[in-house]
Amino acid sequence: IKVEEKLYQNRYIVDENRPHIQIKNPELCATECGDQACTFCCPANCYNKEEGGGVSLVTDGCLECGTCRVICQDQDNVSWNYPRGGYGISYKFG
Ligand code: SF4
């Protein structure tokens, strides 16, 4: 079974207008962050490079793995919390 097929087994309840992860200062992504590791380390592809050098974040489908929180420690530009109770990812296989 492919990773994409496994991810499709998960269920996600979006907390509308209350993203649990936010980029603190989007300008910093474009000007201070060289490799923008979040755009290739996030297993759910929540981060994407934008035209103009910035990074966009859509937390729908976030696996709550914490990778972006760790790889952004040098820049400290990610505000990371778990979703409120009842929202976020549900893993079919635990
Ligand atoms: Fe992606 Fe994991 Fe960060 Fe969620 S917690 S946005 S899945 S790297």
Side-chain angles (χ1 to χ4, degrees):
I1 186 166
K2 292 180 180 176
V3 171
E4 289 77 11
E5 291 169 350
K6 287 182 180 173
L7 290 173
Y8 188 71
Q9 306 285 326
N10 301 327
R11 291 294 170 261
Y12 193 92
I13 301 175
V14 177
D15 195 356
E16 297 286 347
N17 302 317
R18 288 189 61 165
H20 64 289
I21 305 171
Q22 291 183 296
I23 296 172
K24 294 180 188 174
N25 177 5
E27 187 68 24
L28 189 147
C29 299
T31 60
E32 303 289 325
C33 185
D35 54 4
Q36 297 178 332
C38 55
T39 62
F40 52 85
C41 289
C42 171
N45 291 324
C46 293
Y47 294 86
N48 285 288
K49 290 179 184 274
E50 287 186 327
E51 285 184 28
V55 173
S56 64
L57 167 62
V58 177
T59 56
D60 301 6
C62 170
L63 304 171
E64 299 167 25
C65 68
T67 300
C68 55
R69 183 183 198 174
V70 172
I71 60 175
C72 196
Q73 277 182 339
D74 286 348
Q75 305 292 350
D76 189 24
N77 201 27
V78 171
S79 171
W80 203 103
N81 294 284
Y82 282 107
R84 288 191 293 165
Y87 294 95
I89 190 93
S90 295
Y91 290 98
K92 184 173 182 181
F93 298 110

